Amino acid sequence: MEQVLGLVALAAGLIIGLGAIGACIGIGIMGSKYLEASARQPELMNALQTKMFLLAGLIDAAFLIGVGIAMMFAFANPFQLA
């Protein structure tokens, strides 16, 4: 029983940690590409900014879904034996 709880805690930490790393890298790459594109064509800056914020929200949503799944495993553990 204790081994299962330990592995669930490890899995939840990996889900949250790897999701955070992926979201940070994705937003960083997207932000750098936005700055490159707005430097090349400043007249498109408003349209690009709207799309950038939309994509940032989608990237963060994917990370928060992972956090929700990890919290489900941590608190409402479906692997716990009765």
Side-chain angles (χ1 to χ4, degrees):
M1 179 69 176
E2 291 84 20
Q3 184 181 8
V4 172
L5 291 176
L7 290 175
V8 168
L10 182 65
L14 283 173
I15 289 171
I16 293 172
L18 293 176
I21 289 171
C24 290
I25 290 172
I27 289 178
I29 291 172
M30 183 188 57
S32 70
K33 296 297 182 179
Y34 165 72
L35 289 176
E36 285 180 20
S38 62
R40 288 176 188 246
Q41 293 185 341
E43 65 273 5
L44 294 178
M45 191 179 305
N46 290 332
L48 291 173
Q49 185 178 20
T50 303
K51 291 176 179 137
M52 184 194 72
F53 284 131
L54 180 66
L55 286 174
L58 290 174
I59 291 170
D60 274 345
F63 166 64
L64 290 177
I65 289 170
V67 169
I69 291 171
M71 292 297 113
M72 180 192 71
F73 285 150
F75 296 116
N77 190 356
F79 303 115
Q80 189 174 10
L81 302 174

